[in-house]
């Protein structure tokens, strides 16, 4: 009877210690184990092992194939041929021609390079700026943190598209101004998220150990805070890439984006509105390109997020 009581008491004590340790790990971020960064092999495994990743890769391959096929044709996007206007899709013109006789496949290809390069620039600028600003605000704190967050709150109170329209209205339309206008809104949202990541890493045990080992402040921050924060921010920026492509198309659709004669998917949609009954392929080609790009980016980002060990 006494032995049974001792066994029960020992089991109960072990259960309580396990619950206390679990609560400590959940409550204190310093007690949590540091997740290993995702490697290239891990990212490829996450993309190929999930249905979302495979579908995303398929959609991305289709968009890249269309852009490459248009580039290999070496067809001019500015040459006007009225006799070839509104030709339906054929072997000579796989996507048909527009109202000026220009090859639609070549224009979709050039428009894709324009839209995707603008989206890449927006994400690169926003990610780099947010990594510096958010990490500085989270680690330094004080007046700098308060000032940055109040500016970010003001910018986040305005929708990105409306803020971009205001910036373009002040600077004027164009590729450079389009990139700057969209970058402003995403810098604000990325900076707030980066600050949250930096605050969670501020009291981590490995950062304190690096400082006790004699590493300088900058080396400790770059090695133990900036790298994991950059990985998390990269996944978030990938998730936002599709929204940037759609925003670029929307602004160009309204005439606030890339100036003609440079093709752009949104501007091509706007130009084809009056010819839907005569040439519906003019609407389908850029519209499908935008949809497939957004689907590909979102599914690939979801697959990477599911496979992220952090």
């Amino acid at each position: 009877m006494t032995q049974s009581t001792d066994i029960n008491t020992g089991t109960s004590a072990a259960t309580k210690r396990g619950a206390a340790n679990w609560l400590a790990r959940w409550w204190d971020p310093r007690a949590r184990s540091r997740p290993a960064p995702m490697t290239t092999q891990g990212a490829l495994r996450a993309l190929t092992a999930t249905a979302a990743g495979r579908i995303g890769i398929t959609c991305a391959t289709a968009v890249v194939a269309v852009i490459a096929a248009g580039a290999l044709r070496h067809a001019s996007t500015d040459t006007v041929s009225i006799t070839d206007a509104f030709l339906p899709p054929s072997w000579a013109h796989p996507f048909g021609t527009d109202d000026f006789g220009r090859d639609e496949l070549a224009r979709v290809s050039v428009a894709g390079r324009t839209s995707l390069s603008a989206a890449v620039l927006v994400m690169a600028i926003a990610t780099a700026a947010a990594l510096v600003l958010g990490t500085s605000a989270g680690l330094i704190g004080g007046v700098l943190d308060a000032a940055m967050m109040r500016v970010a709150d003001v910018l986040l109170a305005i929708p990105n598209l409306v803020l971009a329209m205001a910036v373009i209205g002040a600077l004027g339309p164009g590729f450079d101004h389009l990139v700057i206008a969209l970058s402003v809104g995403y810098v604000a949202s990325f900076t707030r998220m980066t600050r949250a990541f930096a605050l969670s890493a501020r009291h981590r045990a490995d950062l304190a150990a690096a400082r006790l080992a004699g590493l300088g402040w900058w080396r400790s921050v770059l090695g133990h805070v900036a790298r994991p924060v950059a990985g998390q921010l990269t996944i978030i920026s990938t998730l936002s890439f599709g929204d940037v492509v759609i925003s670029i198309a929307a602004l160009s659709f309204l005439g606030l984006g890339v100036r003609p004669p440079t093709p752009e998917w949104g501007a091509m949609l706007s130009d084809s509105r009056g010819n839907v009954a005569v040439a519906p392929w003019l609407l389908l080609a850029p519209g499908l390109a935008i949809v497939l790009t957004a689907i590909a980016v979102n599914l690939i980002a979801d697959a990477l997020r599911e496979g992220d060990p952090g």
Side-chain angles (χ1 to χ4, degrees), residues 1-240:
M1 185 69 178
T2 305
Q3 184 180 2
S4 176
T5 303
D6 293 340
I7 292 175
N8 292 335
T9 303
T11 303
S12 177
T15 304
K16 290 180 179 179
R17 285 196 300 270
N21 292 335
W22 181 85
L23 288 174
R25 288 194 301 271
W26 178 81
W27 181 259
D28 188 359
R30 292 172 292 182
R32 302 175 192 171
S33 59
R34 182 182 178 185
M38 178 179 285
T39 61
T40 303
Q41 292 81 2
L44 293 176
R45 192 181 305 113
L47 292 177
T48 56
T50 61
R54 291 192 292 269
I55 296 174
I57 291 176
T58 302
C59 295
T61 302
V63 175
V64 172
V66 169
I67 294 176
L72 292 175
R73 286 176 59 83
H74 301 292
S76 175
T77 59
D78 299 328
T79 302
V80 177
S81 178
I82 301 300
T83 57
D84 295 331
F86 297 130
L87 292 179
S90 61
W91 181 257
H93 303 284
F95 287 178
T97 60
D98 63 0
D99 50 344
F100 292 105
R102 298 172 295 188
D103 185 74
E104 189 72 1
L105 176 58
R107 287 177 56 79
V108 169
S109 176
V110 175
R113 296 197 294 271
T114 302
S115 299
L116 294 180
S117 60
V120 169
L121 284 175
V122 169
M123 287 293 95
I125 294 172
T127 302
L131 184 61
V132 175
L133 297 176
T135 304
S136 302
L139 295 180
I140 297 175
V143 178
L144 178 65
D145 183 20
M148 285 186 181
M149 290 306 101
R150 297 299 77 75
V151 174
D153 290 340
V154 172
L155 294 177
L156 289 174
I158 308 173
N160 282 343
L161 200 58
V162 176
L163 181 62
M165 293 173 65
V167 175
I168 292 176
L171 300 178
F175 182 87
D176 297 338
H177 297 165
L178 176 66
V179 171
I180 294 173
L182 287 174
S183 298
V184 172
Y186 284 97
V187 165
S189 60
F190 287 179
T191 298
R192 178 165 284 281
M193 286 184 282
T194 305
R195 173 183 176 271
F197 296 149
L199 285 175
S200 65
R202 186 175 183 177
H203 302 291
R204 219 167 47 207
D206 58 328
L207 180 60
R211 297 288 292 136
L212 291 174
L215 288 180
W217 190 84
W218 282 108
R219 290 186 61 186
S220 301
V221 169
L222 291 176
H224 296 269
V225 178
R227 288 182 62 185
V229 168
Q232 293 171 314
L233 192 59
T234 300
I235 295 177
I236 293 174
S237 63
T238 307
L239 281 168
S240 303

Side-chain angles (χ1 to χ4, degrees), residues 203-285:
H203 302 291
R204 219 167 47 207
D206 58 328
L207 180 60
R211 297 288 292 136
L212 291 174
L215 288 180
W217 190 84
W218 282 108
R219 290 186 61 186
S220 301
V221 169
L222 291 176
H224 296 269
V225 178
R227 288 182 62 185
V229 168
Q232 293 171 314
L233 192 59
T234 300
I235 295 177
I236 293 174
S237 63
T238 307
L239 281 168
S240 303
F241 190 87
D243 294 335
V244 176
V245 172
I246 295 175
S247 297
I248 292 172
L251 292 171
S252 297
F253 184 86
L254 297 174
L256 300 175
V258 181
R259 295 179 178 178
T262 303
E264 199 282 327
W265 286 337
M268 293 175 68
L269 285 176
S270 179
D271 295 338
S272 63
R273 286 179 301 168
N275 302 315
V276 175
V278 180
W281 55 85
L282 298 180
L283 187 67
L284 290 176

